[in-house]
Amino acid sequence: MHDARLIRERLDELREAMRRRGALEALDPQLDRCELLERQRRSLLQAVEERKAARNATSQEVARQKRAGGDAADLVATARALGEEIGQLDAELATVEREFDGILLEIPNMTLADVPAGDESNNIIVREWGTPRSSDGVRPHWEIAAAQGLFDLERGAKLSGSGFIVYRKKGARLVRALMNYFVDSHVDRHGYEEVWAPSIVNRSSMIGTGQLPKFENDAYRIAEDDLFLIPTAEVPVTNLYRDETVDGQLLPMAFCAYSPCFRREAGSAGKDTRGILRVHQFDKVELVRYAVPEDSEAQLAALLGHAEAMLRGLGLPYRVKLLAAGDTGFSSAKTYDLEVWASGVGAWLEVSSCSNFTDFQARRANIRFKPSKTEKPRFVHTVNGSGLAFPRTIAAILEHYQRPDGSVEVPEVLRPYVGTDRLV
RNA sequence: GGACAGGUGGCUGAGCGGUUGAAAGCACCGGUCUCGAAAACCGGCGUACCCGCAAGGGUAUCGUGAGUUCGAAUCUCACCCUGUCCGCCA
């Protein structure tokens, strides 16, 4: 969420930011409306506060006179009249604020200066690592998996519906291996605090990180309790310090959490849905960092490096893509996608999305820090990214490491976890 | 799920419906003292928003939301959360 002052003082800047996202046309009427509401809000606020001040003074006078044994009937009448006015003005103010906040909650973050403007055709490949394997003679992961019995899509569909997978045998083992390899690496080598958080969160948490209110349809909701299945561990982990002020000396803070992720993927049927590329439930290890504003870009670079280290460790060729403003997520100010090369599918698959959210989430979730004993609290910057998402990583492994005999070589770093050097 | 108890400022902890933004203590900040520190003493010390160039002024805030009242931390209702006990259970 943006600072309401932005609407009053830097609306042009906000407009330009929306233009860079290609969202200005859609949002311009809302911004105009916001500007009007902001003015109305202030004038109503002044009017109502003036009357409240008068009422407070009158009430004090009533108290004084009653103590003196007097009759304050006329004062009480004045105060009551003020009270009625206040009631009306307060109601108007509430209406204006509700609409204002409603709009503000649905305006995306402003991207940083070095993010290219425009749609995804303006994305920039920042770097590539490794040598993509030729697709010649490489079978797609779903064929290999079927041959080896690694996952069971049919029975997943029977249990839950399409888009739910049952991993079996070495497939299941591979999931567990990735979980341990990723978490161990980030905790032991990259200095993250290990976190194991709830997979179900409340509405406030979802608003805090920006999933709500705009994207409620994308989440699984437990209506009875108004709770949501998390689409990523980013939600519970970022919200750990919601409505808190942390000691500035503790920044940066770094958290690493494995979690299942649940996504309705409403409206995305048919898009990259083959095999395990887009499913309703998958597993992911998430990295989250809290930073001092001046340091958030450095923290993003560090986090990106930690995610990249996983792909290098696995020996999977990948590239780093800086997303253009129009391709950058709602809450993000800057995002790098990590894409792994899947030779069987013949495509680059997104396995991580590393973002700097600046103070956008912190303002929503009210996460602040005190720079020093004497300074006022400021909003932290939040940074996060996958390190990594499992299904596409598994797809890439199966394809990159497949051998002519149909078996799959287990990446060196996973062998201790998988227990073998070949999936047969 | 049931029965009690309780939610006050960074912490502990007072608070007859009327100068209570809220006693007191601790913590913290500034100062005096000291070679320095501690102790002692003096002063300060929440947050958000509005008006104002500023000085300053105003409003709100005692779990959340409604309500009663001229006036609510104090009364009423609903909800949320915490603790204890019972039930159930991996």
Side-chain angles (χ1 to χ4, degrees):
Chain A
M1 179 156 71
H2 298 289
D3 188 345
R5 266 181 299 232
L6 197 59
I7 300 292
R8 197 199 321 174
E9 295 166 4
R10 291 154 58 205
L11 191 58
D12 289 344
E13 206 177 311
L14 184 55
R15 279 212 171 85
E16 170 61 12
M18 295 306 108
R19 191 191 63 72
R20 292 167 63 83
R21 276 182 180 268
L24 185 56
E25 207 173 320
L27 286 174
D28 214 22
Q30 321 266 62
L31 293 177
D32 288 342
R33 181 75 183 151
C34 253
E35 191 182 19
L36 175 69
L37 290 168
E38 204 282 326
R39 277 202 304 272
Q40 288 181 344
R41 184 181 75 90
R42 268 186 301 148
S43 87
L44 281 168
L45 200 59
Q46 282 171 48
V48 76
E49 288 189 352
E50 186 185 305
R51 284 161 182 76
K52 280 180 178 172
R55 182 182 63 183
N56 287 348
T58 309
S59 289
Q60 294 293 341
E61 188 54 28
V62 170
R64 209 167 292 127
Q65 294 206 5
K66 290 213 167 168
R67 250 198 313 275
D71 169 42
D74 51 336
L75 285 176
V76 169
T78 329
R80 182 181 293 139
L82 280 168
E84 278 164 24
E85 262 191 282
I86 289 168
Q88 275 185 14
L89 289 168
D90 259 342
E92 282 181 59
L93 182 62
T95 307
V96 167
E97 287 190 327
R98 207 171 7 250
E99 187 184 351
F100 182 74
D101 291 344
I103 294 175
L104 212 55
L105 277 172
E106 300 204 359
I107 296 174
N109 200 358
M110 296 195 287
T111 49
L112 297 176
D114 57 340
V115 172
D119 64 15
E120 68 267 17
S121 64
N122 298 290
N123 291 349
I124 296 170
I125 304 301
V126 176
R127 59 177 165 269
E128 292 190 33
W129 183 89
T131 308
R133 177 174 175 173
S134 156
S135 293
D136 288 347
V138 178
R139 293 195 291 165
H141 61 278
W142 55 82
E143 288 183 16
I144 301 158
Q148 311 273 352
L150 302 180
F151 18 100
D152 190 338
L153 303 182
E154 293 75 17
R155 291 191 176 84
K158 177 170 73 180
L159 296 176
S160 309
S162 77
F164 291 90
I165 309 166
V166 177
Y167 290 95
R168 306 184 68 162
K169 300 178 182 170
K170 290 294 182 198
R173 181 76 180 237
L174 194 52
V175 171
R176 194 155 53 86
L178 285 176
M179 178 171 100
N180 286 320
Y181 168 59
F182 290 155
V183 174
D184 285 353
S185 300
H186 296 310
V187 171
D188 296 340
R189 302 214 313 271
H190 301 150
Y192 286 76
E193 174 187 332
E194 185 168 354
V195 173
W196 194 282
S199 301
I200 296 176
V201 297
N202 59 27
R203 184 170 285 274
S204 298
S205 296
M206 291 287 276
I207 290 173
T209 29
Q211 280 73 26
L212 262 47
K214 200 165 195 266
F215 307 107
E216 181 154 355
N217 273 344
D218 294 341
Y220 285 105
R221 173 168 173 240
I222 298 164
E224 178 90 8
D225 302 296
D226 200 33
L227 295 171
F228 298 83
L229 270 62
I230 59 171
T232 156
E234 160 192 351
V235 180
V237 176
T238 304
N239 276 282
L240 275 178
Y241 288 87
R242 169 154 52 82
D243 291 322
E244 292 189 43
T245 301
V246 303
D247 179 357
Q249 303 300 309
L250 299 177
L251 297 176
M253 298 200 284
F255 307 101
C256 169
Y258 157 83
S259 87
C261 303
F262 304 90
R263 301 188 180 180
R264 292 189 63 222
E265 300 291 355
S268 59
K271 198 178 167 194
D272 301 333
T273 50
R274 196 70 202 268
I276 55 174
L277 296 183
R278 185 178 293 273
V279 289
H280 291 306
Q281 177 180 343
F282 64 96
D283 303 278
K284 180 159 66 65
V285 166
E286 183 74 3
L287 304 173
V288 175
R289 300 178 82 87
Y290 282 13
V292 166
E294 292 71 26
D295 188 39
S296 61
E297 277 294 273
Q299 293 300 316
L300 173 62
L303 183 143
L304 178 62
H306 298 148
E308 285 185 64
M310 298 302 92
L311 288 170
R312 293 185 193 216
L314 292 169
L316 295 172
Y318 70 91
R319 65 184 189 184
V320 180
K321 196 162 85 179
L322 173 62
L323 300 188
D327 208 19
T328 299
F330 177 81
S331 299
S332 175
K334 180 178 179 179
T335 297
Y336 292 103
D337 273 3
L338 240 51
E339 297 181 327
V340 69
W341 175 248
S343 48
V345 180
W348 295 94
L349 305 178
E350 179 194 331
V351 287
S352 177
S353 202
C354 301
S355 304
N356 182 354
F357 298 90
T358 57
D359 62 1
F360 191 83
Q361 292 181 326
R363 181 170 278 111
R364 287 175 162 249
N366 189 27
I367 306 165
R368 297 180 297 170
F369 74 100
K370 224 166 152 51
S372 69
K373 294 286 186 194
T374 52
E375 288 172 278
K376 292 202 144 245
R378 302 171 65 194
F379 288 113
V380 303
H381 278 195
T382 55
V383 169
N384 75 45
S386 329
L388 307 161
F390 294 12
R392 295 172 189 173
T393 302
I394 290 172
I397 290 172
L398 296 184
E399 296 180 3
H400 186 75
Y401 284 103
Q402 70 179 268
R403 303 165 68 99
D405 64 1
S407 69
V408 175
E409 188 183 336
V410 175
E412 191 89 36
V413 293
L414 293 183
R415 286 178 195 171
Y417 296 109
V418 176
T420 57
D421 57 3
R422 296 272 281 280
L423 301 181
V424 186

